[in-house]
Amino acid sequence: MTAATDATQAAELLATVPTDQRVALVDPRFIGHLHALRLGLTDPRFDAAAVPGALTARPAARGALLRALRRTVAAVGAGSPVAPPGAGEVAGTEDRTVPGRLATALDAEGIRVQRPELGSLTAAVPTGPEERVAARTSVAAVDDEAVRLRSAVKAHDGFFTTFCISPYSRYLARWCARRGLTPNQVTTASLITALIAAGSAATGTRGGYVAAGVLLLLSFVLDCTDGQLARYSLQYSTMGAWLDATFDRAKEYAYYAGLALGAARGGDDVWVLALGAMVLQACRHVVDFSFNEANHDAVSNTSPTAALSDRLDSVGWTVWARRMIVLPIGERWAMIAVLTALTTPRIVFYALLVGCALAACYTTAGRLLRSLTRKARRTDRAMRALADLADSGPLAQAVAAVLRRPGGGFTAPLLALLAAALMVAAALFAPFGGWLTVGAAVLYAVLGGLAVSRPLGGALDWLVPPAFRAAEYCVILVLAARSDSAHAVPAAFGLVSAVAYHHYDTVYRIRGGTGAPPRWLVRAVGGHEGRTLVVALLAALLTAGSDFTTALTVLAVAVALVVLVESIRFWVSSSAPAVHDEGELA
């Protein structure tokens, strides 16, 4: 930390700092809580941030800051005080200190300056004795460590997480912070714990099931702790975003596989139920993601259904009831853990399928009502996001290049749902190993291409990606289940896991503002229609022995290698967004 006597010296000192480092300017008269400064000056997610009397800039905003500071020097004259007397005495709440003026200049230059909500925390630049006394009194009246600890907990979470985990996991997060542990280390510990839980379930013994349930809950405690640690210590990172966004799914689906292996040891084959639970959960998520991406920046986004939801949120008990109905991750993992310890894997999956199906019906019905009753214009960004989430490959893109779907606000979702229904029906009812399923896959590719041949700007066009996800995943499940090839369903479980990872990766890239994965990747893994056609062809050509299982395994490994290598390359690169995923309740 270096003190500057005037604006000229501040500009000179700033110019000497290496360009790859963050810099901060703080008015020497600043009085406030340490955590207020921490929020304003150390959050790595923003190129520039400010609180009253203080401003920070990361390398991307350093040039604009230096230009603004030099303009300030030219405007007020070289040798002018950095914080001239009376600078804070402007009427209103505008920050008229040098850092405040520079923040305004950055805004004018197009550099977004983050101004965190301080709540009960104090950050002020008093100009007289009375103001200094008042500021110090405000600082003494609030325990900023208590505020810091409280704000480490996610503002909106499920009932189980809020009342059964967060009251003590926040203290675990602080314990980790004081010992230098990082959120990524806690996230990795959560994954390892969940994998050990899956291994315990795979033993197929009652002791193993009890241990699995306990370890799964411990993994969830650590899963809550990593986010709270990131918020407590402001340790947001690109790697943390990737780990947190994907490990929850990896943990849950690995646990499903462990339950299926444990059941098989006891003579009960529940692989179809395990894969069905994964398919249902993945489809629930894509409904959430697709709807949110379609509507989060919609213009004139109003709806009587949304207004009713807002009114219900004003009644305390309805908030928690509605959050529990959707069976969020806390409630879901608690249910899985308890049932694993007390019952059998088959009962676990039955409960999971019924609970998730009811939750899916509830959330999807609400979103349909909102979409049909709201008056909104979808933005170009939203339409691009829906097209990316559709995951259309070369076949669908070729169809879209030569054909255009008919006009009408509902043609895209109707075509997508028709294509999905025909494809799944063929997989279910056509003779296994016949070419009728292959023909249905070709028709599916044509209808899928038609569905995305125009921008997805209709009220219900957010249904297009979920329809494609459900079709692809269900076809793989059904064909594997109908096959006489040994272990085809476990191989299908691996294939769906690899494809689902690709789809989750797409979602989190879009959320981070960097766009979808590169087109070459989508072409390389075939798109949803290409993979569906390949699986249908494999079922028709490889009906003897374990050939179908081998082919599914090879396909799963190939898809996994391609998407994982590209995903890891992206998330550890400098272009990845520095965000920490807050997660969906589901």
Side-chain angles (χ1 to χ4, degrees):
M1 179 182 296
T2 304
T5 58
D6 53 44
T8 300
Q9 187 181 12
E12 293 172 351
L13 290 171
L14 180 63
T16 64
V17 178
T19 57
D20 61 343
Q21 294 183 12
R22 174 198 290 269
V23 295
L25 296 174
V26 182
D27 192 296
R29 300 168 300 169
F30 177 88
I31 294 177
H33 288 100
L34 176 61
H35 192 50
L37 275 181
R38 188 182 292 113
L39 289 171
L41 302 183
T42 64
D43 194 324
R45 295 173 295 176
F46 310 107
D47 289 332
V51 294
L55 170 71
T56 185
R58 298 183 69 210
R62 283 276 305 276
L65 174 61
L66 186 57
R67 289 192 298 272
L69 186 54
R70 285 171 175 166
R71 285 197 301 271
T72 300
V73 172
V76 302
S80 298
V82 174
E89 297 176 357
V90 179
T93 59
E94 183 180 1
D95 183 2
R96 300 297 293 176
T97 63
V98 169
R101 291 175 184 272
L102 293 175
T104 301
L106 291 180
D107 282 326
E109 195 167 330
I111 304 295
R112 178 177 175 269
V113 178
Q114 171 70 11
R115 293 174 173 84
E117 292 288 339
L118 298 181
S120 59
L121 297 175
T122 297
V125 181
T127 57
E130 292 183 359
E131 291 183 5
R132 281 194 291 273
V133 171
R136 290 192 177 103
T137 301
S138 297
V139 171
V142 176
D143 182 353
D144 73 335
E145 176 60 22
V147 173
R148 184 184 183 189
L149 195 60
R150 187 167 59 249
S151 62
V153 178
K154 193 186 301 182
H156 302 287
D157 220 328
F159 181 89
F160 179 77
T161 304
T162 300
F163 294 103
C164 300
I165 304 297
S166 293
Y168 57 87
S169 62
R170 69 183 75 181
Y171 296 101
L172 179 59
R174 183 171 66 180
W175 183 90
C176 292
R178 291 177 174 177
R179 282 152 184 81
L181 297 177
T182 67
N184 293 350
Q185 291 170 334
V186 178
T187 301
T188 303
S190 176
L191 174 67
I192 293 172
T193 304
L195 293 179
I196 296 174
S200 299
T203 62
T205 64
R206 177 51 52 194
Y209 290 147
V210 171
V214 173
L215 289 169
L216 186 65
L217 287 177
L218 176 58
S219 174
F220 183 66
V221 171
L222 294 173
D223 181 58
C224 295
T225 301
D226 67 356
Q228 291 165 358
L229 174 58
R231 287 182 286 273
Y232 180 85
S233 56
L234 298 177
Q235 295 186 72
Y236 304 104
S237 67
T238 55
M239 180 65 75
W242 175 58
L243 295 178
D244 194 63
T246 56
F247 276 14
D248 279 353
R249 305 287 80 81
K251 289 181 284 189
E252 187 167 1
Y253 299 155
Y255 192 81
Y256 293 173
L259 285 174
L261 288 170
R265 287 179 176 272
D268 189 12
D269 187 354
V270 297
W271 273 106
V272 171
L273 296 178
L275 181 50
M278 182 169 70
V279 168
L280 179 55
Q281 191 59 28
C283 289
R284 283 186 65 201
H285 281 136
V286 77
V287 167
D288 294 341
F289 298 144
S290 186
F291 178 82
N292 291 337
E293 288 301 324
N295 294 286
H296 87 280
D297 59 353
V299 179
S300 300
N301 198 1
T302 59
S303 163
T305 307
L308 174 61
S309 177
D310 291 340
R311 286 197 296 272
L312 288 174
D313 281 344
S314 65
V315 182
W317 70 269
T318 64
V319 175
W320 297 116
R322 292 167 67 218
R323 289 184 187 178
M324 293 174 69
I325 287 173
V326 300
L327 202 64
I329 186 170
E331 277 76 357
R332 191 168 67 250
W333 282 26
M335 180 186 75
I336 294 171
V338 171
L339 291 179
T340 298
L342 300 179
T343 65
T344 65
R346 181 172 291 272
I347 293 176
V348 173
F349 285 123
Y350 282 154
L352 192 59
L353 287 166
V354 171
C356 288
L358 292 175
C361 290
Y362 170 77
T363 54
T364 305
R367 285 167 181 160
L368 286 170
L369 287 173
R370 290 191 182 202
S371 299
L372 292 172
T373 57
R374 73 175 12 134
K375 297 178 181 178
R377 178 173 61 83
R378 188 148 295 149
T379 63
D380 291 339
R381 178 200 178 282
M383 290 187 284
R384 285 195 302 272
L386 289 180
D388 292 333
L389 289 173
D391 193 33
S392 300
L395 296 177
Q397 290 295 325
V399 172
V402 298
L403 299 175
R404 286 291 182 268
R405 71 170 185 263
F410 301 113
T411 54
L414 287 175
L415 283 169
L417 291 170
L418 175 62
L422 290 175
M423 188 66 244
V424 174
L428 278 169
F429 302 115
F432 182 83
W435 291 94
L436 184 59
T437 305
V438 177
V442 173
L443 179 59
Y444 172 74
V446 173
L447 293 176
L450 276 175
V452 298
S453 60
R454 297 181 188 273
L456 298 175
L460 296 181
D461 285 3
W462 57 270
L463 286 170
V464 172
F468 291 157
R469 292 299 81 71
E472 179 182 1
Y473 297 165
C474 288
V475 166
I476 296 172
L477 166 61
V478 170
L479 291 180
R482 294 187 65 192
S483 170
D484 292 330
S485 183
H487 309 301
V489 179
F493 190 97
L495 176 57
V496 172
S497 298
V499 175
Y501 178 86
H502 165 56
H503 291 143
Y504 283 115
D505 184 54
T506 300
V507 166
Y508 289 110
R509 291 196 197 206
I510 294 173
R511 279 185 167 186
T514 57
R519 286 300 307 168
W520 71 261
L521 176 66
V522 177
R523 289 192 292 268
V525 296
H528 70 94
E529 80 290 351
R531 291 186 297 270
T532 303
L533 178 59
V534 167
V535 173
L537 281 169
L538 292 176
L541 295 172
L542 305 174
T543 57
S546 61
D547 291 346
F548 185 54
T549 298
T550 302
L552 287 180
T553 304
V554 171
L555 182 59
V557 171
V559 171
L561 284 176
V562 173
V563 300
L564 278 173
V565 169
E566 164 56 21
S567 176
I568 294 171
R569 182 209 64 77
F570 170 78
W571 285 104
V572 300
S573 70
S574 60
S575 61
V579 297
H580 186 84
D581 177 56
E582 288 293 308
E584 296 293 326
L585 283 180

